[in-house]
């Protein structure tokens, strides 16, 4: 939202630390970090499978931050990750606030997710896919987003627990991948908001403290 | 959605007309056009106010097509429209299927919208803005999207009927403008789907026929 982009730049300008202090630990910044961490959803994540365009990676991580994804996942088996796309840069970069775990293969990624209790849903069109709005996204959910041109790989689809389809009423049968990701994540947000998932922290006290220390140093 | 992008390119390849016929009027194409037109929402639209980046314009029009916007609006008072962004090109270009009406001023644009019964809502952050999820988007609604850096102009905000805010739970206080547009449009889709707004055509028989003739020639 463009108004927010302007507001963001102002917030960023305000947040610039004085040159003498490397990690400004103002009360206000600490309170903000604590508040954001208390709304993080450790049971909601995305898997970026060979996403090629750095602007798409950046927009996806921004949506992740906005709905409270704590940690995202990436599998780059066909191409290299876009240079710099996952680097923590300025406070305005969502990559600073959403850690991305890289996996060597789709199988290893899904195994790790399932060990943490996630259902793994691929965003794609197909006879077996179900509408986004029919899925229970309050359950621990990992959304797999495939490459811009090829879509999710056969392996990523085949090993998943199901497919999500965004209903499309128009002539053009596709959405930009970062747009599709945001539509899915905000439907998860909507369901979770109604379920009260943002009212109390899902992270336990020691995880909160440790993450707060970590974030204050970013 | 990347899988859909690939599917889209295949659909496009299939749709290429034989060189001898300029406007392929196959039964299949006609049925598709008729079906899409019958789901168009003439009472849902967007206003692009000085949107600068052609990729954002393109992604916004794609989301418009996907949820059934029949006609979008543009106001370029500060800068020129991005070259080519509104041109009808290939079948895969949403600009081919979403007409964009240009207005000379915000006031003239809003006047035209109000004459057609639209509520005009600006997407922005502010004390007076209400959550996207508290708005009734089944009512005739125009969503105003402002410039990437400056946001909606004071005039666009001041003359509007209210502001919509996308809830944000993270550290970064902004979303890409095309992402924000899609999140708003798909919430409108969700509400309208539940209200049965896609079940019967909102265009009357003569409008459907005339648009069908027009689209078959595109």
């Amino acid at each position: 939202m463009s108004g927010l982009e302007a507001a963001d730049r102002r917030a960023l300008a305000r947040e610039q630390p004085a040159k003498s202090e490397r990690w400004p630990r103002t009360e206000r910044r600490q309170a903000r970090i604590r508040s954001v961490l208390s709304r993080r959803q450790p049971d909601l994540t995305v898997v970026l499978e060979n996403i090629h365009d750095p602007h798409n990676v950046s927009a996806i991580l921004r949506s992740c931050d906005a709905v409270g994804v704590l940690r995202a996942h990436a599998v780059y088996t066909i191409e290299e990750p876009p240079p710099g796309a996952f680097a923590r840069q300025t406070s305005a970069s969502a990559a600073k606030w959403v850690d991305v775990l890289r996996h060597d293969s789709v199988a290893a990624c899904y195994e790790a997710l399932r060990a943490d209790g996630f259902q793994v849903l691929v965003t794609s069109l197909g006879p077996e896919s179900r509408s986004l709005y029919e899925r229970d996204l309050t359950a621990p959910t990992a959304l797999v987003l495939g490459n811009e041109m090829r879509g999710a790989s056969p392996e990523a689809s085949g090993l998943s627990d199901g497919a999500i389809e965004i209903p499309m009423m128009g002539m053009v049968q596709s959405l930009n991948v970062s747009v599709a990701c945001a539509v899915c994540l905000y439907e998860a947000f909507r369901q979770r908001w109604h379920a009260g998932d943002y009212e109390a922290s899902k992270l336990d006290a020691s995880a909160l403290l440790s993450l707060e220390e970590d974030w204050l140093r970013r």
Side-chain angles (χ1 to χ4, degrees), chain A:
Chain A
M1 183 149 323
S2 35
L4 314 191
E5 286 178 2
D8 183 35
R9 289 189 308 140
R10 287 193 296 274
L12 177 61
R14 278 198 305 273
E15 266 189 30
Q16 293 299 333
K19 286 205 174 100
S20 60
E21 51 171 351
R22 180 150 170 222
W23 300 314
R25 188 183 287 242
T26 62
E27 275 179 35
R28 185 173 157 194
R29 186 165 187 265
Q30 189 160 16
R32 173 116 187 272
I33 283 176
R34 203 171 282 175
S35 157
V36 166
L37 280 172
S38 74
R39 289 174 295 185
R40 276 301 196 238
Q41 305 284 305
D43 56 352
L44 177 65
T45 192
V46 298
V47 177
L48 291 81
E49 196 212 11
N50 293 297
I51 301 282
H52 175 80
D53 183 335
H55 299 103
N56 283 334
V57 170
S58 164
I60 289 169
L61 294 182
R62 225 156 140 191
S63 300
C64 283
D65 175 64
V67 302
V69 168
L70 180 66
R71 199 172 283 126
H73 300 262
V75 184
Y76 281 86
T77 48
I78 297 172
E79 44 206 299
E80 290 298 308
F86 296 103
R88 292 180 192 162
Q89 292 152 337
T90 66
S91 303
S93 162
K96 186 164 180 175
W97 309 111
V98 180
D99 293 335
V100 181
L101 296 187
R102 191 157 167 203
H103 303 270
D104 291 336
S105 66
V106 167
C109 176
Y110 286 14
E111 192 180 341
L113 288 168
R114 289 198 174 108
D116 287 338
F118 282 92
Q119 64 173 335
V120 180
L121 299 177
V122 172
T123 54
S124 66
L125 258 192
E128 79 302 336
S129 56
R130 272 169 52 200
S131 165
L132 168 64
Y133 301 100
E134 291 166 15
R135 292 280 187 186
D136 175 10
L137 302 174
T138 62
T141 303
L143 295 164
V144 183
L145 302 154
N147 175 268
E148 289 89 342
M149 298 307 277
R150 298 181 304 271
S153 68
E155 191 185 12
S157 292
L159 295 177
S160 76
D161 299 311
I164 278 187
E165 177 184 336
I166 298 177
M168 311 245 282
M169 305 289 119
M171 291 294 286
V172 179
Q173 291 298 303
S174 73
L175 292 172
N176 168 280
V177 65
S178 68
V179 159
C181 175
V183 169
C184 293
L185 284 179
Y186 265 95
E187 173 59 11
F189 166 82
R190 192 190 64 81
Q191 293 183 13
R192 286 165 179 247
W193 181 266
H194 282 291
D197 280 1
Y198 291 90
E199 284 164 25
S201 175
K202 292 189 173 187
L203 296 162
D204 64 26
S206 65
L208 275 176
L209 258 181
S210 138
L211 281 164
E212 186 184 316
E213 280 301 307
D214 178 17
W215 282 26
L216 280 166
R217 282 176 175 72
R218 291 189 185 182

